[in-house]
Amino acid sequence: MTDGAFLAIDWGTTNRRVYRIAADGTVEATVRTDRGILAMEPAGYADEVAAIRAEMGDLPILCAGMVGSNRGWAEVPYLPCPADIAGLANALHWVEPGRTAIVPGVAWHGTAHADVMRGEEVQVLGATLAGLTPATALLCQPGTHCKWAWMEDGRIDRFTTAMTGEIFSLVQRHSLLAAQMTGTVAAGDAFLRGVADAQGGDLLARLFGVRADFVTGRTPAGDEASYVSGLLIGTDVWARRPAEAPAIGLLADPVLGALYSAAIAAAGGRATLVDSHSAFIAGITHIWRHAA
Amino acid sequence: MTDGAFLAIDWGTTNRRVYRIAADGTVEATVRTDRGILAMEPAGYADEVAAIRAEMGDLPILCAGMVGSNRGWAEVPYLPCPADIAGLANALHWVEPGRTAIVPGVAWHGTAHADVMRGEEVQVLGATLAGLTPATALLCQPGTHCKWAWMEDGRIDRFTTAMTGEIFSLVQRHSLLAAQMTGTVAAGDAFLRGVADAQGGDLLARLFGVRADFVTGRTPAGDEASYVSGLLIGTDVWARRPAEAPAIGLLADPVLGALYSAAIAAAGGRATLVDSHSAFIAGITHIWRHAA
């Protein structure tokens, strides 16, 4: 039942990507929309999926991402770490048996804290299975909430999430520094100064320093957004000890990929860029083939 | 000219306090309003000061605080560190000679960064001169922008400012965690967990952990605001190495004073609460008596 063509849906909070995947694993069609779960009514998923089949083909569907959260179509319990493809495939939530399923998220339960992901597990496991990264590696997915997954022999051993992108956005939009942060963020000198300053562990003072350096005329205006981005990404990256990682894979778009690559290099690590769409397709296809 | 009674004004961004100080140093009257500089028009200061004299007495006036900034009455250049009372008194900006003056702010120029204060210099120097804290001490003024001043032999040797209160406010009002942060902040167990977690230097991940611990049912809901306050104040406090300070004085209201005292104690230091109004009055009186 799960060896033929199917529709794979990466259904996140604000965006959705539907891929038609042939029996041989080829991606035959891709449709991206902004119909993320925030654009959906809880009762609207059945009709939405019918519309997707009408457009993309009357095939089985496997969804992953926030669609499996309490704000999505159905709340699917998290699979605990260590998590692998077989574990996810065995824990699918079948909305309609054999026809429509949702991939569970993954939870990590540490001594002092827990962490959760929904959707990223498909990418990081797919990156490993497709050989895009080594089976033992540190994988990073930057964004509003940056995920770092420590992969061991192809499994998600543990992971942590940092509010890096969200805090940057709050500072840029609402803080005392907002008026100074209108420039484009780039991985240049100002960004690298921020990364270096982040190593001191004094983020809150270095943020005010942006204002103080401006008031005292110490730094030229214009590159504050890059500096603050460097401070925040640097704070995130240093805490992950990238110099100790056996390998680092970066599942990111070119903009965030360039920033995180530069910060990881400054912190003594070396990251390889991985195409996150290829990783997702590899992961979801493996899950589907494993499904009972 | 400066040995008689005068009016001292602590004129900040959102609030203003006017004190009538007798020739013997006694505070005869205090009036607090919300007529901070944000409530003022640039051309309105002369009339405002005339109204203050009409209400409080026709006396010389000495103002300190943001009234001396580029958004205030007149932009008064910063006095560089190390800064003391005589230096401030010699650098007063006389709006009307012998009649109305503004205390300059203080700037610190480090190798890599600078910092600035306006108004806090009167308090920290006053605390020392009045014997409220030792002449060599670390003084802390918590708030939206928390000031830490290293005093050496009664001078401001250097200082740093942390955006602690502002980041707390942004997270509480605008972040993913906002809905969880409706409780009252108190210096209890949740706050101290935050302070302890801050020592790891992974603020961005610990913030997301508030969400993850909630989603996984790990921590009871209700004390997230205290925990996040502990994380941020803890991040601020650990960076100051309070265990190494010869003495720590805390110029704070009771609420912030309790939080910072608890965080400083958890980080191996010991803070003494200092009344910030007494410190201001001592400082401004000393400046006035020193004025030429």
Side-chain angles (χ1 to χ4, degrees), chain A residues 110 166 176 197 202 218 240, chain B residues 110-111 166 176 202 218 240:
Chain A
E166 180 166 358
L176 174 75
D197 283 353
D202 199 2
R218 190 172 187 112
R240 275 3 110 200
Chain B
T111 312
E166 180 166 358
L176 173 75
D202 198 2
R218 192 175 187 107
R240 277 2 111 200

Side-chain angles (χ1 to χ4, degrees), chain B:
Chain B
M1 163 181 15
T2 64
D3 55 355
F6 72 108
L7 302 179
I9 309 182
D10 187 0
W11 208 329
T13 303
T14 52
N15 292 303
R16 186 182 76 196
R17 279 192 177 77
V18 184
Y19 305 91
R20 188 171 69 236
I21 299 177
D24 66 0
T26 310
V27 177
E28 297 179 327
T30 304
V31 175
R32 181 185 174 284
T33 72
D34 57 3
R35 304 272 304 153
I37 66 164
L38 291 183
M40 297 289 303
E41 294 294 327
Y45 283 94
D47 286 351
E48 189 79 6
V49 159
I52 290 169
R53 285 197 168 98
E55 182 186 1
M56 302 282 287
D58 187 18
L59 294 166
I61 284 180
L62 184 56
C63 319
M66 290 299 284
V67 67
S69 73
N70 62 353
R71 298 178 190 176
W73 191 356
E75 186 170 1
V76 185
Y78 295 102
L79 189 72
C81 284
D84 63 10
I85 286 286
L88 290 174
N90 291 334
L92 294 186
H93 174 83
W94 288 98
V95 180
E96 188 185 347
R99 177 84 172 148
T100 310
I102 302 173
V103 178
V106 173
W108 169 74
H109 300 280
T111 312
H113 293 285
D115 212 325
V116 290
M117 58 167 59
R118 283 200 190 274
E120 295 90 351
E121 68 286 347
V122 178
Q123 284 189 22
V124 295
L125 290 167
T128 301
L129 284 166
L132 302 172
T133 61
T136 295
L138 171 58
L139 300 191
C140 173
Q141 291 155 294
T144 303
H145 301 143
C146 180
K147 301 280 180 195
W148 296 84
W150 284 266
M151 310 297 292
E152 294 278 352
D153 293 329
R155 297 187 309 272
I156 305 171
D157 186 61
R158 63 189 171 94
F159 62 95
T160 197
T161 309
M163 276 177 73
T164 318
E166 180 166 358
I167 298 294
F168 178 82
S169 172
L170 293 182
V171 171
Q172 188 177 42
R173 289 158 63 194
H174 299 294
S175 81
L176 173 75
L177 309 181
Q180 286 177 255
M181 288 174 63
T182 53
T184 304
V185 174
D189 289 347
F191 178 84
L192 290 172
R193 269 195 293 115
V195 173
D197 283 354
Q199 193 179 7
D202 198 2
L203 174 64
L204 299 172
R206 291 285 63 78
L207 284 172
F208 187 83
V210 175
R211 172 75 184 163
D213 286 351
F214 173 75
V215 167
T216 57
R218 192 175 187 107
T219 48
D223 54 11
E224 293 94 333
S226 291
Y227 175 80
V228 172
S229 176
L231 268 184
L232 288 164
I233 291 177
T235 297
D236 186 3
V237 164
W238 285 108
R240 277 2 111 200
R241 305 174 184 274
E244 297 168 17
I248 302 176
L250 201 42
L251 295 101
D253 63 52
V255 173
L256 279 176
L259 296 174
Y260 270 80
S261 285
I264 288 168
R270 186 163 170 281
T272 304
L273 276 168
V274 177
D275 183 79
S276 54
H277 304 295
S278 302
F280 178 82
I281 291 160
I284 200 97
T285 304
H286 274 89
I287 293 168
W288 185 244
R289 301 297 176 228
H290 271 84

Side-chain angles (χ1 to χ4, degrees), chain A residues 77-146:
Chain A
Y78 295 102
L79 189 73
C81 284
D84 62 10
I85 285 287
L88 290 175
N90 291 333
L92 294 186
H93 174 82
W94 289 97
V95 180
E96 188 185 348
R99 177 83 173 149
T100 310
I102 302 173
V103 178
V106 173
W108 169 74
H109 300 280
T111 311
H113 293 286
D115 213 326
V116 290
M117 58 168 58
R118 284 201 188 273
E120 296 90 351
E121 68 286 346
V122 178
Q123 286 189 22
V124 295
L125 289 167
T128 300
L129 284 166
L132 302 171
T133 60
T136 295
L138 171 58
L139 300 191
C140 173
Q141 291 156 295
T144 303
H145 301 142
C146 180

